[in-house]
mmCIF file of all heavy atoms in Angstrom:
data_model
loop_
_atom_site.group_PDB
_atom_site.id
_atom_site.type_symbol
_atom_site.label_atom_id
_atom_site.label_comp_id
_atom_site.label_asym_id
_atom_site.label_seq_id
_atom_site.Cartn_x
_atom_site.Cartn_y
_atom_site.Cartn_z
ATOM 1 N N SER G 116 164.879 3.927 107.141
ATOM 2 C CA SER G 116 164.823 2.542 107.569
ATOM 3 C C SER G 116 164.590 2.518 109.073
ATOM 4 O O SER G 116 165.431 2.994 109.839
ATOM 5 C CB SER G 116 166.139 1.837 107.228
ATOM 6 O OG SER G 116 166.171 0.540 107.776
ATOM 7 N N VAL G 117 163.453 2.003 109.501
ATOM 8 C CA VAL G 117 163.095 1.970 110.916
ATOM 9 C C VAL G 117 163.403 0.591 111.472
ATOM 10 O O VAL G 117 162.919 -0.411 110.951
ATOM 11 C CB VAL G 117 161.600 2.306 111.118
ATOM 12 C CG1 VAL G 117 161.252 2.297 112.603
ATOM 13 C CG2 VAL G 117 161.278 3.661 110.515
ATOM 14 N N ARG G 118 164.200 0.567 112.525
ATOM 15 C CA ARG G 118 164.546 -0.711 113.147
ATOM 16 C C ARG G 118 163.476 -1.142 114.137
ATOM 17 O O ARG G 118 162.768 -0.303 114.714
ATOM 18 C CB ARG G 118 165.888 -0.607 113.861
ATOM 19 C CG ARG G 118 167.071 -0.425 112.918
ATOM 20 C CD ARG G 118 168.370 -0.399 113.689
ATOM 21 N NE ARG G 118 168.437 0.760 114.573
ATOM 22 C CZ ARG G 118 168.958 1.922 114.222
ATOM 23 N NH1 ARG G 118 169.419 2.088 112.999
ATOM 24 N NH2 ARG G 118 169.008 2.921 115.078
ATOM 25 N N GLY G 119 163.398 -2.437 114.353
ATOM 26 C CA GLY G 119 162.503 -2.977 115.356
ATOM 27 C C GLY G 119 163.089 -4.237 115.947
ATOM 28 O O GLY G 119 164.117 -4.749 115.484
ATOM 29 N N ARG G 120 162.445 -4.744 116.992
ATOM 30 C CA ARG G 120 162.871 -6.011 117.610
ATOM 31 C C ARG G 120 161.622 -6.798 117.974
ATOM 32 O O ARG G 120 160.705 -6.282 118.627
ATOM 33 C CB ARG G 120 163.730 -5.754 118.838
ATOM 34 C CG ARG G 120 164.284 -7.041 119.487
ATOM 35 C CD ARG G 120 165.319 -6.712 120.551
ATOM 36 N NE ARG G 120 166.498 -6.110 119.922
ATOM 37 C CZ ARG G 120 167.448 -5.460 120.612
ATOM 38 N NH1 ARG G 120 167.331 -5.313 121.916
ATOM 39 N NH2 ARG G 120 168.493 -4.955 119.980
ATOM 40 N N LEU G 121 161.607 -8.044 117.536
ATOM 41 C CA LEU G 121 160.474 -8.934 117.768
ATOM 42 C C LEU G 121 160.773 -9.858 118.938
ATOM 43 O O LEU G 121 161.833 -10.494 118.985
ATOM 44 C CB LEU G 121 160.189 -9.765 116.514
ATOM 45 C CG LEU G 121 159.061 -10.796 116.634
ATOM 46 C CD1 LEU G 121 157.709 -10.104 116.757
ATOM 47 C CD2 LEU G 121 159.079 -11.732 115.429
ATOM 48 N N TYR G 122 159.799 -9.963 119.858
ATOM 49 C CA TYR G 122 159.903 -10.830 121.030
ATOM 50 C C TYR G 122 158.760 -11.843 120.973
ATOM 51 O O TYR G 122 157.592 -11.455 120.903
ATOM 52 C CB TYR G 122 159.774 -10.009 122.317
ATOM 53 C CG TYR G 122 160.791 -8.904 122.481
ATOM 54 C CD1 TYR G 122 160.588 -7.648 121.898
ATOM 55 C CD2 TYR G 122 161.954 -9.108 123.224
ATOM 56 C CE1 TYR G 122 161.525 -6.633 122.063
ATOM 57 C CE2 TYR G 122 162.890 -8.096 123.393
ATOM 58 C CZ TYR G 122 162.670 -6.864 122.805
ATOM 59 O OH TYR G 122 163.591 -5.864 122.960
ATOM 60 N N ARG G 123 159.098 -13.128 121.050
ATOM 61 C CA ARG G 123 158.067 -14.170 121.027
ATOM 62 C C ARG G 123 158.232 -15.072 122.245
ATOM 63 O O ARG G 123 159.283 -15.708 122.422
ATOM 64 C CB ARG G 123 158.169 -15.009 119.756
ATOM 65 C CG ARG G 123 157.932 -14.223 118.473
ATOM 66 C CD ARG G 123 158.045 -15.121 117.249
ATOM 67 N NE ARG G 123 156.937 -16.062 117.163
ATOM 68 C CZ ARG G 123 156.876 -17.051 116.267
ATOM 69 N NH1 ARG G 123 157.863 -17.215 115.390
ATOM 70 N NH2 ARG G 123 155.828 -17.849 116.246
ATOM 71 N N PRO G 124 157.213 -15.158 123.095
ATOM 72 C CA PRO G 124 157.317 -16.026 124.268
ATOM 73 C C PRO G 124 157.182 -17.505 123.913
ATOM 74 O O PRO G 124 157.546 -18.375 124.701
ATOM 75 C CB PRO G 124 156.152 -15.570 125.134
ATOM 76 C CG PRO G 124 155.127 -15.089 124.145
ATOM 77 C CD PRO G 124 155.923 -14.462 123.030
ATOM 78 N N THR G 125 156.621 -17.771 122.747
ATOM 79 C CA THR G 125 156.405 -19.129 122.260
ATOM 80 C C THR G 125 156.455 -19.099 120.742
ATOM 81 O O THR G 125 156.214 -18.044 120.134
ATOM 82 C CB THR G 125 155.037 -19.665 122.739
ATOM 83 O OG1 THR G 125 154.780 -20.935 122.129
ATOM 84 C CG2 THR G 125 153.909 -18.710 122.354
ATOM 85 N N LEU G 126 156.769 -20.230 120.142
ATOM 86 C CA LEU G 126 156.737 -20.304 118.686
ATOM 87 C C LEU G 126 155.348 -20.595 118.163
ATOM 88 O O LEU G 126 155.136 -20.638 116.947
ATOM 89 C CB LEU G 126 157.737 -21.353 118.193
ATOM 90 C CG LEU G 126 159.210 -21.061 118.530
ATOM 91 C CD1 LEU G 126 160.112 -22.126 117.941
ATOM 92 C CD2 LEU G 126 159.627 -19.674 118.062
ATOM 93 N N ASP G 127 154.371 -20.776 119.067
ATOM 94 C CA ASP G 127 152.973 -20.912 118.659
ATOM 95 C C ASP G 127 152.429 -19.545 118.232
ATOM 96 O O ASP G 127 152.993 -18.496 118.557
ATOM 97 C CB ASP G 127 152.128 -21.451 119.813
ATOM 98 C CG ASP G 127 152.524 -22.866 120.218
ATOM 99 O OD1 ASP G 127 153.079 -23.582 119.364
ATOM 100 O OD2 ASP G 127 152.298 -23.228 121.387
ATOM 101 N N ALA G 128 151.317 -19.565 117.519
ATOM 102 C CA ALA G 128 150.681 -18.313 117.095
ATOM 103 C C ALA G 128 150.081 -17.590 118.299
ATOM 104 O O ALA G 128 149.365 -18.194 119.104
ATOM 105 C CB ALA G 128 149.592 -18.609 116.071
ATOM 106 N N VAL G 129 150.406 -16.309 118.427
ATOM 107 C CA VAL G 129 149.870 -15.473 119.503
ATOM 108 C C VAL G 129 149.588 -14.087 118.933
ATOM 109 O O VAL G 129 150.117 -13.719 117.876
ATOM 110 C CB VAL G 129 150.852 -15.361 120.695
ATOM 111 C CG1 VAL G 129 150.989 -16.689 121.418
ATOM 112 C CG2 VAL G 129 152.214 -14.846 120.232
ATOM 113 N N PRO G 130 148.770 -13.280 119.623
ATOM 114 C CA PRO G 130 148.544 -11.911 119.156
ATOM 115 C C PRO G 130 149.837 -11.097 119.156
ATOM 116 O O PRO G 130 150.782 -11.389 119.898
ATOM 117 C CB PRO G 130 147.537 -11.361 120.176
ATOM 118 C CG PRO G 130 146.900 -12.555 120.782
ATOM 119 C CD PRO G 130 147.944 -13.616 120.796
ATOM 120 N N LEU G 131 149.848 -10.056 118.342
ATOM 121 C CA LEU G 131 151.011 -9.177 118.223
ATOM 122 C C LEU G 131 150.680 -7.804 118.796
ATOM 123 O O LEU G 131 149.627 -7.237 118.513
ATOM 124 C CB LEU G 131 151.412 -9.031 116.756
ATOM 125 C CG LEU G 131 152.589 -8.094 116.442
ATOM 126 C CD1 LEU G 131 153.871 -8.594 117.102
ATOM 127 C CD2 LEU G 131 152.767 -7.954 114.935
ATOM 128 N N VAL G 132 151.607 -7.262 119.593
ATOM 129 C CA VAL G 132 151.501 -5.909 120.135
ATOM 130 C C VAL G 132 152.693 -5.107 119.624
ATOM 131 O O VAL G 132 153.843 -5.495 119.846
ATOM 132 C CB VAL G 132 151.498 -5.911 121.676
ATOM 133 C CG1 VAL G 132 151.490 -4.478 122.212
ATOM 134 C CG2 VAL G 132 150.311 -6.697 122.218
ATOM 135 N N VAL G 133 152.430 -4.020 118.933
ATOM 136 C CA VAL G 133 153.479 -3.101 118.511
ATOM 137 C C VAL G 133 153.750 -2.157 119.678
ATOM 138 O O VAL G 133 152.839 -1.507 120.185
ATOM 139 C CB VAL G 133 153.053 -2.310 117.260
ATOM 140 C CG1 VAL G 133 154.110 -1.277 116.886
ATOM 141 C CG2 VAL G 133 152.796 -3.265 116.096
ATOM 142 N N TYR G 134 155.022 -2.090 120.101
ATOM 143 C CA TYR G 134 155.363 -1.302 121.291
ATOM 144 C C TYR G 134 156.211 -0.095 120.914
ATOM 145 O O TYR G 134 157.240 -0.222 120.245
ATOM 146 C CB TYR G 134 156.112 -2.139 122.329
ATOM 147 C CG TYR G 134 156.092 -1.464 123.683
ATOM 148 C CD1 TYR G 134 155.076 -1.735 124.579
ATOM 149 C CD2 TYR G 134 157.044 -0.506 124.022
ATOM 150 C CE1 TYR G 134 155.002 -1.073 125.799
ATOM 151 C CE2 TYR G 134 156.977 0.162 125.231
ATOM 152 C CZ TYR G 134 155.958 -0.128 126.119
ATOM 153 O OH TYR G 134 155.880 0.536 127.305
ATOM 154 N N VAL G 135 155.784 1.093 121.389
ATOM 155 C CA VAL G 135 156.472 2.353 121.121
ATOM 156 C C VAL G 135 157.049 2.856 122.447
ATOM 157 O O VAL G 135 156.307 3.140 123.386
ATOM 158 C CB VAL G 135 155.515 3.391 120.515
ATOM 159 C CG1 VAL G 135 156.304 4.593 120.003
ATOM 160 C CG2 VAL G 135 154.681 2.784 119.387
ATOM 161 N N HIS G 136 158.361 2.978 122.525
ATOM 162 C CA HIS G 136 159.022 3.283 123.792
ATOM 163 C C HIS G 136 158.886 4.744 124.197
ATOM 164 O O HIS G 136 158.738 5.639 123.366
ATOM 165 C CB HIS G 136 160.511 2.911 123.716
ATOM 166 C CG HIS G 136 161.312 3.800 122.801
ATOM 167 N ND1 HIS G 136 161.777 5.041 123.179
ATOM 168 C CD2 HIS G 136 161.733 3.628 121.524
ATOM 169 C CE1 HIS G 136 162.452 5.595 122.189
ATOM 170 N NE2 HIS G 136 162.430 4.762 121.159
ATOM 171 N N GLY G 137 158.974 4.987 125.498
ATOM 172 C CA GLY G 137 159.011 6.332 126.026
ATOM 173 C C GLY G 137 160.431 6.882 126.072
ATOM 174 O O GLY G 137 161.395 6.209 125.724
ATOM 175 N N GLY G 138 160.543 8.150 126.544
ATOM 176 C CA GLY G 138 161.837 8.796 126.637
ATOM 177 C C GLY G 138 161.812 10.246 126.203
ATOM 178 O O GLY G 138 162.799 10.755 125.666
ATOM 179 N N MET G 139 160.700 10.917 126.436
ATOM 180 C CA MET G 139 160.576 12.346 126.118
ATOM 181 C C MET G 139 160.874 12.621 124.646
ATOM 182 O O MET G 139 161.348 13.699 124.297
ATOM 183 C CB MET G 139 161.481 13.179 127.023
ATOM 184 C CG MET G 139 161.110 13.075 128.492
ATOM 185 S SD MET G 139 162.203 13.979 129.617
ATOM 186 C CE MET G 139 163.701 12.980 129.525
ATOM 187 N N TRP G 140 160.600 11.646 123.773
ATOM 188 C CA TRP G 140 160.796 11.747 122.326
ATOM 189 C C TRP G 140 162.259 11.977 121.947
ATOM 190 O O TRP G 140 162.573 12.139 120.781
ATOM 191 C CB TRP G 140 159.951 12.868 121.716
ATOM 192 C CG TRP G 140 158.514 12.831 122.065
ATOM 193 C CD1 TRP G 140 157.526 12.083 121.473
ATOM 194 C CD2 TRP G 140 157.866 13.569 123.109
ATOM 195 N NE1 TRP G 140 156.333 12.317 122.080
ATOM 196 C CE2 TRP G 140 156.502 13.227 123.082
ATOM 197 C CE3 TRP G 140 158.313 14.501 124.053
ATOM 198 C CZ2 TRP G 140 155.580 13.761 123.975
ATOM 199 C CZ3 TRP G 140 157.403 15.034 124.946
ATOM 200 C CH2 TRP G 140 156.050 14.664 124.899
ATOM 201 N N SER G 141 163.149 11.970 122.946
ATOM 202 C CA SER G 141 164.533 12.383 122.736
ATOM 203 C C SER G 141 165.559 11.330 123.114
ATOM 204 O O SER G 141 166.712 11.409 122.684
ATOM 205 C CB SER G 141 164.834 13.659 123.545
ATOM 206 O OG SER G 141 163.966 14.715 123.190
ATOM 207 N N ILE G 142 165.180 10.379 123.965
ATOM 208 C CA ILE G 142 166.093 9.321 124.384
ATOM 209 C C ILE G 142 165.348 7.990 124.311
ATOM 210 O O ILE G 142 164.143 7.937 124.094
ATOM 211 C CB ILE G 142 166.634 9.550 125.811
ATOM 212 C CG1 ILE G 142 165.497 9.529 126.846
ATOM 213 C CG2 ILE G 142 167.396 10.872 125.882
ATOM 214 C CD1 ILE G 142 165.981 9.608 128.288
ATOM 215 N N GLY G 143 166.072 6.915 124.525
ATOM 216 C CA GLY G 143 165.467 5.591 124.525
ATOM 217 C C GLY G 143 165.582 4.911 123.181
ATOM 218 O O GLY G 143 165.951 5.517 122.173
ATOM 219 N N GLY G 144 165.278 3.632 123.171
ATOM 220 C CA GLY G 144 165.370 2.836 121.952
ATOM 221 C C GLY G 144 165.143 1.370 122.256
ATOM 222 O O GLY G 144 164.546 1.006 123.276
ATOM 223 N N LEU G 145 165.646 0.514 121.398
ATOM 224 C CA LEU G 145 165.431 -0.916 121.564
ATOM 225 C C LEU G 145 166.062 -1.430 122.854
ATOM 226 O O LEU G 145 165.496 -2.296 123.524
ATOM 227 C CB LEU G 145 165.995 -1.674 120.360
ATOM 228 C CG LEU G 145 165.351 -1.356 119.008
ATOM 229 C CD1 LEU G 145 165.991 -2.208 117.911
ATOM 230 C CD2 LEU G 145 163.844 -1.568 119.040
ATOM 231 N N GLU G 146 167.250 -0.928 123.209
ATOM 232 C CA GLU G 146 167.922 -1.445 124.396
ATOM 233 C C GLU G 146 167.288 -0.933 125.683
ATOM 234 O O GLU G 146 167.153 -1.671 126.658
ATOM 235 C CB GLU G 146 169.406 -1.079 124.361
ATOM 236 C CG GLU G 146 170.146 -1.493 123.102
ATOM 237 C CD GLU G 146 170.046 -2.973 122.782
ATOM 238 O OE1 GLU G 146 169.688 -3.772 123.674
ATOM 239 O OE2 GLU G 146 170.314 -3.331 121.626
ATOM 240 N N SER G 147 166.858 0.327 125.709
ATOM 241 C CA SER G 147 166.303 0.890 126.939
ATOM 242 C C SER G 147 165.042 0.153 127.371
ATOM 243 O O SER G 147 164.756 0.065 128.569
ATOM 244 C CB SER G 147 166.009 2.381 126.757
ATOM 245 O OG SER G 147 164.943 2.591 125.847
ATOM 246 N N HIS G 148 164.287 -0.374 126.423
ATOM 247 C CA HIS G 148 163.021 -1.035 126.732
ATOM 248 C C HIS G 148 163.053 -2.534 126.451
ATOM 249 O O HIS G 148 161.999 -3.181 126.426
ATOM 250 C CB HIS G 148 161.882 -0.362 125.962
ATOM 251 C CG HIS G 148 161.462 0.939 126.578
ATOM 252 N ND1 HIS G 148 162.325 1.999 126.762
ATOM 253 C CD2 HIS G 148 160.267 1.355 127.090
ATOM 254 C CE1 HIS G 148 161.680 2.993 127.340
ATOM 255 N NE2 HIS G 148 160.437 2.634 127.553
ATOM 256 N N ASP G 149 164.243 -3.093 126.284
ATOM 257 C CA ASP G 149 164.362 -4.522 126.005
ATOM 258 C C ASP G 149 163.787 -5.359 127.151
ATOM 259 O O ASP G 149 162.998 -6.282 126.927
ATOM 260 C CB ASP G 149 165.829 -4.880 125.776
ATOM 261 C CG ASP G 149 166.029 -6.347 125.437
ATOM 262 O OD1 ASP G 149 165.765 -6.730 124.276
ATOM 263 O OD2 ASP G 149 166.445 -7.114 126.336
ATOM 264 N N ARG G 150 164.171 -5.038 128.379
ATOM 265 C CA ARG G 150 163.668 -5.813 129.521
ATOM 266 C C ARG G 150 162.150 -5.679 129.645
ATOM 267 O O ARG G 150 161.452 -6.671 129.888
ATOM 268 C CB ARG G 150 164.365 -5.351 130.807
ATOM 269 C CG ARG G 150 163.889 -6.073 132.047
ATOM 270 C CD ARG G 150 164.629 -5.623 133.306
ATOM 271 N NE ARG G 150 163.946 -6.143 134.485
ATOM 272 C CZ ARG G 150 164.163 -7.341 135.015
ATOM 273 N NH1 ARG G 150 165.062 -8.147 134.482
ATOM 274 N NH2 ARG G 150 163.485 -7.750 136.070
ATOM 275 N N LEU G 151 161.619 -4.471 129.476
ATOM 276 C CA LEU G 151 160.177 -4.266 129.566
ATOM 277 C C LEU G 151 159.444 -5.073 128.504
ATOM 278 O O LEU G 151 158.423 -5.721 128.797
ATOM 279 C CB LEU G 151 159.860 -2.776 129.415
ATOM 280 C CG LEU G 151 158.377 -2.388 129.244
ATOM 281 C CD1 LEU G 151 157.527 -2.926 130.375
ATOM 282 C CD2 LEU G 151 158.241 -0.883 129.136
#
Side-chain angles (χ1 to χ4, degrees):
S116 173
V117 181
R118 292 183 295 269
R120 184 170 294 165
L121 177 69
Y122 302 84
R123 297 180 70 187
T125 174
L126 298 183
D127 295 335
V129 292
L131 178 62
V132 176
V133 176
Y134 197 91
V135 191
H136 69 81
M139 297 177 289
W140 308 277
S141 302
I142 63 174
L145 298 181
E146 306 304 343
S147 68
H148 283 58
D149 182 78
R150 179 178 168 86
L151 170 55

